[in-house]
Amino acid sequence: MRDTVYPLHVVDLRCENVSNPMGIACKTPYVSWKVSGNLNHVTQTAYAIQVALQASDFESGQIIWEQNEPSDASYAVPLRLNEIQEKTVYYWRVQVCVNTEHEHGLWLPWTEVASFETGFKDESSWSGKWIEADDRFYQIADEECRRYWKEKPYGDKASLNERDQGLRKLPYLSKEFQLKAGIEKARIYITARGFYELNINGHKVGPCVLAPDFTAYDKCIYYQTFDIADAVQEGDNRLDIILADGWYAGHAQGIPGNNHLYGVRPSLLMQTEIYYANGTLEVIASDSSFQATAGPLQYADLLMGEYYDLHAGQAQIFGTVERDYSMSVAMPQKGAMIVATDMLEASRVFRDAAGSLIVDFGQVIAGRERLVITGSAESIVTIEHSEELDHAGVFYDVMNTFPFHDQKNIIRFAEAQTIQYEPQFTFQGFRYLRISGLDYDNIRPEDCQAVVIGTGMPVVGSFECSNKELNQLMRNILWSQKGNMLSIPTDCPQRERAGFTGDAQIFGKAAALNMDVSGFFSRWLEQCRLEQLERGQIPIVVPYTKAYSEIEPNPGWTSAGWGDMIIFLPWDMYQAYGDIRFLAENYESMLKWMEYVENCAQETMPEKYYMDFENRHRHKYLWNTGHHWGDWQVSGIEAFQGVELTKEITASLFYYRAARTMMLISKELGDSHHYEYYKALSGHIYHAFHEEYLAEGKLAAEEWQGAYVMAIAFGMVDGDMKDAFAKRLNEMVVKQDYHLQTGFLSTPFLLETLWNCGYQETAYRVLYNDTPPSWLYQVKQGATTMWEEWEGIDRDGLVKGSSFNHYAFGCVGDFVYEKIGGLSMLAPGFKKIQIRPEATENLEYAETTIQTIYGELYVKWVKKEEGLQYQVKIPHNTRAVIVGKNGQVHLGSGVHEFTI
């Protein structure tokens, strides 16, 4: 019966994967929970959910919605309320029925009450207006700030006046207002075209930095909702909002060097709502009554850094103007915001070989410095950033080949004083700081900290084994993920900072084992759908800013292995979390993408086949023309030579993989028509590829490892042909002295392909190789993150790479979790778990933890004479099978110890 006292309880109640979220969209919310407690073999058999408008209503029975389901579902469960009101707090609780090893049909007590609060229904709910500092503010700002512009940023090709370089003073907006007594509730809804930092009565509001998130600003800008009841007061109050260029108007994405990606001036949209105990509502909204002034920040550019001027002066007051910008783009925040995630202390302070003062934090990060520094009167202190030192031990400016990439933070002192300095509206990728302009010899390590910033996602996976180098590799992968999952999945935090679709799709599986990326990728996939082009292309970067869309000639539209991320990433996320929304929400975009690829294949063919009437018929099933990036970054081959070598076969292999994956997705969504359609299409691609590219058990074209890897992994070859391909792949790897020669698209499948085809020894030797190109070579060279190039620093210490924080080749992480840690899923979300450590040679133990959507999954195995000794924790509401050489053991949830 219900309410039985029992050593189990339901915990971690979440709505939209957030605890008690505020300001969510006014549509069906999805909730989740976990069963916790010290019993074994626990499964959920049913649940009951109740929703009320007050927390106290549950006791009085005033329930507005309830649902009872015989179901084991506990993640992404929809609350299908009849009508969801805007700006309303809803309270909910859940009760579950479980079976255990000894008892069935036990209803656990009702949980504590959780809540979610909706934001605005639509644009009509806004009374605030988009506002920005007036023209007079910017006339003066232009005159004063042009001195910071580079005279010839592109050498002799461009002069000072040919381009608006931005770098203008920041507008500090403010408004004073009075409130009556009896404040019961207070909310602020706020966003910006650019960045904002909000202060009320002198105190910063909200934990977020660099808000709002990076989105396709012309189509979507997320607004944030904050509870400000503790920030406002009866009587006098003051709002202060600093605006910065951010992704909207600044130099946000590096290699093209463009600024003004969406507009020229930052603007604010804000609405404060004060609810009084007597039932009245007072609204303070952004309008032309706000004032604007200039402050100490002369400029604050996301990429180039900040100029902080401490010269005090009488602040000139300017007005603000209302702008008729779109209100429909303002949408409720989705997923976690950018926050400070870690704080690192300096590991050493020293002078490099050139005599420069260097601060070393021991770890490459994305973030900013926090320094206690003393400046003399009229001194200028400059802070520069780098991920590496050069081979002579001198500070290395990795950005020195790009015209707009100073990446300096500058402080100008007015008088002698000591300050704590931390940039507000910029970040860098760095391990080292170079500080110049101090009039004292050294700076104390305890005065130097590095603030790590990133999207506020919890780390869910950990791995440790008896091999220290492998442990460091896994740490490097996690740190690269932290540094590049900053609002969007960037390729690198120091240079391009773009949401490359190819990088995300190859790393998605490993990413979900390291961190809870469910909300993060759900949000970014929404941007991908918004940016999908008319013919169905998913751009190579999302958001698709003019930094890429206006490059001539334009390579940015799409590519095999990049645009088809819209299929593979949602599929990987569905596998990771069992949330069907990843498939349903992106399905229309998937179909549009496939239609685009089919049209490309049908409408064009390689020129040599134009008059080959006997063979050209098959080319309508091969995507072998147009621009592609191929198997990018194939080791040992110059990058663009590798593109030419690999792009034709890679594109057709990915066409086949996409069609096969669409079969699976259509089946999951119950779309039998498209299931049959893609089944037939994949068959046509299969036969066309065999006729065109395969001969006598190997590739008819020029060979490279990645083609064999992808052909096997994608199922393009089977039976004897698969065996022949695996043998040839093994021969190629052995010939390379067990070094990989795979690029971005094939590397994720290399080790697993070798392993599953019976070449375990080869896979071992590739994984543990410590000469370039290899994973452990980077570790041996002191890497703390993943590099873009396998030999970014050569064996003599010469810095050759330009990015030392690129997560793409970290895709090996899922092989480590699965084959060494022994954890893999047999059903989405680890509902069914396989524990099968296979790659145990030369290791004494491995310990792996993954916080799954059902709870903690933990496996530690230790080698003993009698076999592998296991310590295992299986989450409740799941089950596992332990696979050994001589059989299987089936386990329910709970803690278990045994030897196999």
Side-chain angles (χ1 to χ4, degrees):
M1 63 181 179
R2 296 196 179 196
D3 297 331
T4 302
V5 176
Y6 214 72
L8 292 171
H9 48 284
V10 178
V11 299
D12 200 16
L13 273 64
R14 292 176 178 265
C15 177
E16 299 298 336
N17 209 29
V18 178
S19 177
N20 301 325
M22 185 176 294
I24 68 171
C26 296
K27 59 182 183 181
T28 301
Y30 284 70
V31 299
S32 305
W33 60 85
K34 297 171 184 172
V35 178
S36 178
N38 297 321
L39 285 179
N40 287 358
H41 303 282
V42 177
T43 58
Q44 177 187 302
T45 61
Y47 67 79
I49 300 177
Q50 293 180 339
V51 179
L53 291 177
Q54 298 292 335
S56 58
D57 288 347
F58 294 107
E59 299 305 320
S60 61
Q62 299 181 58
I63 308 301
I64 65 168
W65 183 87
E66 63 181 320
Q67 178 172 304
N68 294 270
E69 287 287 336
S71 171
D72 63 354
S74 60
Y75 186 83
V77 176
L79 303 185
R80 303 194 184 280
L81 306 180
N82 295 330
E83 184 178 2
I84 297 180
Q85 302 295 323
E86 69 170 0
K87 297 182 292 185
T88 301
V89 181
Y90 292 89
Y91 298 89
W92 66 283
R93 64 179 186 174
V94 65
Q95 186 179 40
V96 303
C97 183
V98 298
N99 292 340
T100 73
E101 188 174 14
H102 303 294
E103 301 178 79
H104 286 188
L106 294 170
W107 282 93
L108 304 182
W110 285 103
T111 64
E112 296 294 323
V113 175
S115 68
F116 61 89
E117 182 174 336
T118 55
F120 290 151
K121 189 82 170 178
D122 53 39
E123 62 187 283
S124 66
S125 302
W126 285 98
S127 56
K129 307 293 184 184
W130 286 107
I131 62 170
E132 58 191 40
D134 64 18
D135 290 342
R136 196 163 59 94
F137 174 91
Y138 283 105
Q139 288 170 1
I140 295 174
D142 281 352
E143 292 172 6
E144 294 186 359
C145 294
R146 190 174 288 261
R147 58 185 165 168
Y148 302 122
W149 296 8
K150 289 190 172 184
E151 289 192 10
K152 292 185 177 182
Y154 287 99
D156 294 330
K157 296 180 181 179
S159 65
L160 170 68
N161 295 317
E162 289 179 350
R163 188 168 186 173
D164 181 349
Q165 296 178 30
L167 303 185
R168 293 182 177 86
K169 287 189 174 183
L170 277 66
Y172 288 61
L173 307 186
S174 65
K175 183 178 177 67
E176 295 179 350
F177 59 98
Q178 269 123 16
L179 297 178
K180 300 186 291 289
I183 299 170
E184 186 173 72
K185 171 181 160 184
R187 297 289 186 266
I188 191 165
Y189 307 90
I190 184 169
T191 191
R193 290 151 54 99
F195 289 148
Y196 72 84
E197 183 169 292
L198 169 65
N199 286 267
I200 298 180
N201 296 327
H203 299 286
K204 184 178 182 297
V205 174
C208 53
V209 299
L210 304 183
D213 281 288
F214 189 9
T215 55
Y217 276 91
D218 55 334
K219 305 176 182 73
C220 169
I221 303 175
Y222 293 123
Y223 67 85
Q224 291 70 54
T225 305
F226 298 110
D227 181 350
I228 58 170
D230 291 337
V232 294
Q233 61 193 13
E234 178 187 353
D236 294 337
N237 291 267
R238 181 183 173 95
L239 288 166
D240 288 287
I241 304 105
I242 312 174
L243 296 181
D245 290 348
W247 288 289
Y248 180 80
H251 299 88
Q253 295 179 317
I255 286 182
N258 295 22
N259 61 331
H260 299 168
L261 300 183
Y262 293 95
V264 177
R265 299 176 181 177
S267 51
L268 170 72
L269 178 63
M270 185 219 73
Q271 190 161 314
T272 301
E273 299 192 350
I274 310 297
Y275 297 82
Y276 293 99
N278 63 8
T280 60
L281 168 66
E282 184 172 357
V283 177
I284 299 98
S286 51
D287 58 22
S288 58
S289 67
F290 278 62
Q291 293 181 335
T293 59
L297 280 172
Q298 300 300 291
Y299 64 78
D301 189 85
L302 186 64
L303 189 72
M304 295 179 63
E306 296 184 354
Y307 194 114
Y308 189 69
D309 193 340
L310 287 167
H311 281 71
Q314 184 65 39
Q316 187 174 356
I317 298 175
F318 301 90
T320 57
V321 291
E322 298 177 9
R323 298 297 189 189
D324 189 24
Y325 300 142
S326 170
M327 303 296 293
S328 64
V329 299
M331 302 179 185
Q333 174 71 30
K334 190 172 188 177
M337 295 177 282
I338 305 170
V339 295
T341 60
D342 297 277
M343 187 76 70
L344 303 182
E345 305 294 330
S347 59
R348 59 179 177 142
V349 175
F350 63 98
R351 295 274 175 177
D352 69 7
S356 300
L357 179 60
I358 308 296
V359 180
D360 178 10
F361 292 101
Q363 174 65 55
V364 174
I365 68 163
R368 56 240 199 146
E369 64 272 17
R370 180 180 292 171
L371 306 175
V372 176
I373 55 176
T374 301
S376 57
E378 299 301 326
S379 65
I380 295 178
V381 175
T382 301
I383 305 159
E384 299 167 279
H385 309 77
S386 181
E387 294 175 332
E388 291 292 342
L389 302 180
D390 72 12
H391 63 293
V394 175
F395 186 86
Y396 178 72
D397 184 2
V398 74
M399 310 308 296
N400 61 5
T401 57
F402 301 105
F404 278 101
H405 294 170
D406 279 341
Q407 297 205 341
K408 298 176 182 177
N409 295 323
I410 300 171
I411 307 165
R412 182 185 178 208
F413 285 86
E415 58 188 27
Q417 66 180 119
T418 299
I419 65 169
Q420 178 175 284
Y421 172 73
E422 178 182 339
Q424 290 174 271
F425 299 109
T426 189
F427 75 91
Q428 281 82 31
F430 68 98
R431 169 177 170 173
Y432 301 95
L433 302 178
R434 178 167 62 187
I435 304 175
S436 57
L438 297 177
D439 61 359
Y440 48 100
D441 290 337
N442 219 329
I443 187 171
R444 301 185 307 171
E446 56 264 35
D447 290 337
C448 305
Q449 294 177 311
V451 181
V452 182
I453 65 171
T455 300
M457 301 178 291
V459 174
V460 299
S462 65
F463 172 87
E464 183 179 318
C465 69
S466 55
N467 185 299
K468 294 182 179 179
E469 289 76 19
L470 196 58
N471 294 340
Q472 184 62 50
L473 172 63
M474 294 296 281
R475 284 193 290 270
N476 292 357
I477 294 170
L478 177 60
W479 272 105
S480 275
Q481 183 171 347
K482 287 182 177 182
N484 282 291
M485 293 197 166
L486 197 156
S487 189
I488 63 169
T490 59
D491 58 329
C492 55
Q494 79 301 100
R495 187 187 62 187
E496 289 163 299
R497 302 184 175 189
F500 278 91
T501 49
D503 301 48
Q505 74 94 355
I506 62 176
F507 187 67
K509 184 178 178 182
L513 295 170
N514 277 333
M515 304 176 79
D516 181 355
V517 294
S518 56
F520 177 82
F521 276 129
S522 175
R523 179 176 66 209
W524 186 63
L525 284 165
E526 178 177 63
Q527 301 305 306
C528 294
R529 298 193 298 272
L530 291 171
E531 295 283 51
Q532 187 166 27
L533 303 181
E534 185 177 353
R535 290 185 61 203
Q537 307 101 307
I538 297 293
I540 199 166
V541 296
V542 174
Y544 191 38
T545 70
K546 72 177 185 180
Y548 290 90
S549 66
E550 293 184 358
I551 293 175
E552 296 294 344
N554 178 6
W557 269 11
T558 199
S559 168
W562 273 254
D564 40 26
M565 170 282 308
I566 198 64
I567 295 173
F568 304 131
L569 184 63
W571 178 251
D572 284 342
M573 293 302 101
Y574 172 63
Q575 295 300 312
Y577 300 106
D579 188 347
I580 198 69
R581 288 179 295 173
F582 277 108
L583 304 182
E585 291 176 353
N586 295 288
Y587 193 50
E588 183 178 346
S589 286
M590 297 176 194
L591 295 174
K592 287 173 63 178
W593 165 261
M594 287 301 294
E595 183 179 1
Y596 163 73
V597 176
E598 288 180 71
N599 287 335
C600 289
Q602 291 173 7
E603 293 170 3
T604 60
M605 68 182 74
E607 189 174 346
K608 65 182 179 179
Y609 287 100
Y610 282 4
M611 302 305 292
D612 184 348
F613 297 101
E614 181 178 353
N615 295 309
R616 72 179 189 179
H617 66 281
R618 61 175 173 255
H619 287 272
K620 66 181 178 180
Y621 297 117
L622 298 172
W623 193 16
N624 53 8
T625 57
H627 171 82
H628 295 285
W629 289 103
D631 197 13
W632 177 250
Q633 288 288 3
V634 174
S635 61
I637 305 173
E638 190 277 328
F640 287 95
Q641 290 179 354
V643 169
E644 292 303 312
L645 167 68
T646 65
K647 67 179 184 178
E648 184 175 326
I649 287 178
T650 297
S652 288
L653 282 168
F654 265 81
Y655 185 19
Y656 179 69
R657 181 189 176 204
R660 297 266 294 183
T661 306
M662 286 299 290
M663 283 174 52
L664 301 175
I665 293 170
S666 299
K667 185 176 182 180
E668 289 293 317
L669 293 175
D671 183 353
S672 58
H673 167 73
H674 280 105
Y675 172 82
E676 295 297 334
Y677 180 85
Y678 289 116
K679 181 179 179 181
L681 176 61
S682 61
H684 292 311
I685 300 170
Y686 177 93
H687 291 296
F689 190 92
H690 277 246
E691 291 176 357
E692 181 66 22
Y693 296 117
L694 305 186
E696 300 178 357
K698 65 177 186 178
L699 282 173
E702 190 170 351
E703 295 180 303
W704 85 99
Q705 290 178 17
Y708 285 87
V709 170
M710 291 184 287
I712 297 168
F714 299 171
M716 181 59 82
V717 291
D718 45 28
D720 292 341
M721 180 72 80
K722 178 180 177 181
D723 293 340
F725 262 53
K727 180 181 178 182
R728 179 61 184 143
L729 171 62
N730 186 65
E731 291 170 351
M732 295 173 74
V733 176
V734 172
K735 186 177 180 180
Q736 292 285 332
D737 195 21
Y738 298 95
H739 293 101
L740 45 75
Q741 194 185 29
T742 49
F744 271 26
L745 299 185
S746 57
T747 297
F749 308 99
L750 172 64
L751 295 183
E752 186 175 13
T753 297
L754 286 168
W755 192 273
N756 293 341
C757 289
Y759 295 99
Q760 287 91 348
E761 178 63 24
T762 303
Y764 270 123
R765 297 187 65 170
V766 172
L767 176 62
Y768 290 108
N769 205 327
D770 63 1
T771 57
S774 69
W775 285 286
L776 295 190
Y777 170 75
Q778 296 181 8
V779 172
K780 187 178 177 181
Q781 290 295 97
T784 62
T785 44
M786 301 302 300
W787 298 349
E788 179 184 20
E789 300 167 42
W790 290 108
E791 200 171 358
I793 300 176
D794 70 15
R795 279 173 272 201
D796 295 324
L798 180 65
V799 178
K800 298 167 65 177
S802 57
S803 171
F804 295 92
N805 196 349
H806 240 78
Y807 60 57
F809 287 128
C811 54
V812 70
D814 62 82
F815 179 87
V816 175
Y817 274 113
E818 293 180 9
K819 298 299 185 183
I820 299 177
L823 295 180
S824 58
M825 61 182 73
L826 299 177
F830 286 101
K831 183 68 173 176
K832 297 179 183 177
I833 302 158
Q834 177 175 272
I835 299 174
R836 186 182 184 183
E838 296 181 77
T840 62
E841 188 174 318
N842 299 323
L843 295 176
E844 296 304 314
Y845 76 92
E847 186 174 10
T848 311
T849 303
I850 299 174
Q851 298 293 338
T852 76
I853 62 174
Y854 298 102
E856 182 179 288
L857 171 59
Y858 170 83
V859 171
K860 181 176 181 179
W861 59 260
V862 180
K863 281 185 180 175
K864 299 291 183 180
E865 289 186 8
E866 59 271 27
L868 292 184
Q869 183 184 80
Y870 285 93
Q871 296 177 13
V872 174
K873 182 178 181 181
I874 309 298
H876 293 320
N877 208 22
T878 70
R879 50 196 172 94
V881 56
I882 319 296
V883 180
K885 291 182 178 180
N886 300 316
Q888 299 180 350
V889 175
H890 291 270
L891 293 178
S893 69
V895 177
H896 311 273
E897 294 188 16
F898 51 86
T899 300
I900 296 182

